[in-house]
Amino acid sequence: MEKILSIVEKQNSWRRYQCLNMVASENVMSPLAERLYVSDFMGRYNEHNGESHYQGTKYAMEIEYVVKEIFQKRFNTPYVELRPLSGGIANLIVMRSLTKIGDVIVSPKLTAGAHVSHTKYGVAGILGLAEVPMYFDPQDMVVDVDRTIELINSIKPKLVIFGRSVFIFPEPVKEIRDAIDPKIKIIYDAAHVFGLIWGGKFQKPLLEGADIITTSTHKTFPGPQGGAIIARKDLDEALWRKIERVTFPGVVYNHHMHRFPALGITALEMNEYGEAYASQVIRNAKALAEELYSLGFKVLCPHKGFTESHQVLMDVREIGGGRIVAKKLEESNIIVTKVALPWDSDKDATHNPSGIRIGVQELTRWGMKESEMRYIAELFHKVLHEDKNVKEEVTEFRKEFREIKYCFPVDKYEDRLARLFRG
Ligand SMILES: Cc1ncc(COP(=O)(O)O)c(C=O)c1O
């Protein structure tokens, strides 16, 4: 018992209050969302295809539809599916709904930032799809549009997947949609940038020609861990019904209802503060990149303003490679991830790839702005160029940033929250 309590206590104080959390796929929920995360829904079951197969689910059905409606309004479409338990499962559902064994798909290459689910090692592989990587320009870190159009028009894949895990510039959805057979479906995996899209600051995939968005609900979108599928409003209804059937009874059974109140609160907070949050995230990423670059780090794409997303990418081959650099930063309580860059091999991706990926979305939620980003760049310099350990400096610095921004003030709801478990 004591052991378990102490592990949680150590995790809470270390990662929440003593670290610079810069893993680009993570975030913190708002205090209000967090308070609503643990409720009676936590231990309940629901399974439905419109009508629940369980009893005792009237509020489970209601909360799911209320949250769904917030998403439907935001994306101006009736086609929203919030039951997938994660972004990876959303990809599985959509790819399974749109393809059959042996179909060809065009997707990003692993070392050009693909999520593993887009590749032969992940969902595409287990579904027996033949994955052909789209062409990528490693200098500009974007899809090579002309060659990819040529590729798609010659091999005529069943679907094209955009969106990636290493993701600094928008995808050329419109250019490619306009140049290929309209029957070829385009999926946009927004897992990383969903919060920026919600805030209106990255790109608008459904308006640019994507048929379906898949996403996680916990990266730049700072909700509970989960997944979602959103399709354009004029998608063939029969195809949407198939996606629903593959969701249930195909892949997801009980869909973990406890996520929904927190997801709904996050969505409402993003309606209110998402634009300001997304703008600050991008400003912070640019400020961090500029300062790192001026301190001599090999930050990717200086000629393009470094980044348009929450991520900053550094080539750290000359200072030990991604694995070693990320480990060294962790010893100073700076948490980033190693990533493969386009010149790596697939094997390097999981071993010692060339890069590190730095995300600023969580630090932005803790209230940090451009000046803090410049200070953080100096900390990177101390650790990686001067071989210093800055753990104490980091812990001290974090003391000023203990309140999550861009969310509803929890104090205002204290009385209401106190009544939630009254019985
Ligand atoms: C582009 C992309 N898609 C899908 C996923 C999988 O999301 P999840 O971890 O929610 O399953 C990730 C995870 O990092 C990702 O980066």
Side-chain angles (χ1 to χ4, degrees), residues 58-291:
K58 59 184 172 188
Y59 300 121
M61 294 300 283
E62 198 178 346
I63 189 79
E64 186 177 330
Y65 284 116
V66 164
V67 180
K68 195 166 166 168
E69 206 183 321
I70 303 170
F71 277 66
Q72 286 167 327
K73 282 203 179 124
R74 189 71 185 184
F75 288 90
N76 189 26
T77 174
Y79 298 137
V80 170
E81 179 55 82
L82 299 176
R83 286 177 293 179
L85 302 181
S86 73
I89 290 174
N91 280 343
L92 169 62
I93 292 165
V94 171
M95 284 194 232
R96 179 65 189 84
S97 304
L98 266 56
T99 61
K100 54 183 184 340
I101 291 179
D103 280 347
V104 175
I105 67 166
V106 167
S107 62
K109 197 171 181 312
L110 197 62
T111 52
H115 184 252
V116 68
S117 59
H118 309 158
T119 73
K120 62 182 176 207
Y121 306 107
V123 169
I126 64 168
L127 292 180
L129 306 178
E131 158 229 354
V132 180
M134 58 181 65
Y135 288 103
F136 194 70
D137 176 342
Q139 239 55 53
D140 284 358
M141 289 300 282
V142 285
V143 171
D144 179 333
V145 175
D146 293 342
R147 292 177 76 202
T148 299
I149 290 173
E150 224 172 272
L151 172 76
I152 294 171
N153 286 338
S154 79
I155 63 172
K156 302 213 177 311
K158 201 63 180 279
L159 61 91
V160 173
I161 301 179
F162 284 114
R164 48 197 81 226
S165 304
V166 177
F167 201 174
I168 50 178
F169 297 115
E171 299 279 20
V173 180
K174 184 162 172 21
E175 292 92 316
I176 293 202
R177 174 81 284 167
D178 288 349
I180 65 172
D181 183 343
K183 285 203 286 299
I184 299 172
K185 292 281 180 275
I186 295 183
I187 297 178
Y188 185 101
D189 182 338
H192 263 269
V193 291
F194 190 56
L196 307 180
I197 289 174
W198 193 291
K201 296 292 163 188
F202 195 64
Q203 63 185 133
K204 295 185 167 58
L206 296 180
L207 300 184
E208 291 162 26
D211 297 285
I212 298 172
I213 289 176
T214 58
T215 187
S216 306
T217 53
H218 51 265
K219 295 182 167 103
T220 49
F221 185 86
Q225 293 193 336
I229 302 168
I230 305 166
R232 63 183 165 82
K233 65 178 175 200
D234 53 351
L235 191 83
D236 173 24
E237 192 178 341
L239 175 57
W240 182 255
R241 298 295 160 226
K242 185 167 183 198
I243 290 172
E244 287 183 330
R245 282 196 309 278
V246 173
T247 302
F248 175 81
V251 173
V252 183
Y253 301 94
N254 181 33
H255 42 281
H256 300 187
M257 294 309 310
H258 67 283
R259 300 180 288 131
F260 284 77
L263 184 61
I265 293 293
T266 310
L268 293 176
E269 289 177 333
M270 285 294 285
N271 279 349
E272 189 85 15
Y273 307 104
E275 191 181 340
Y277 157 67
S279 306
Q280 190 62 51
V281 166
I282 296 164
R283 283 201 297 274
N284 281 353
K286 283 179 178 292
L288 178 68
E290 272 161 25
E291 193 65 17

Side-chain angles (χ1 to χ4, degrees), residues 339-351:
V339 282
L341 296 176
W343 37 90
D344 289 324
S345 71
D346 282 7
K347 192 159 176 268
D348 292 330
T350 47
H351 289 75

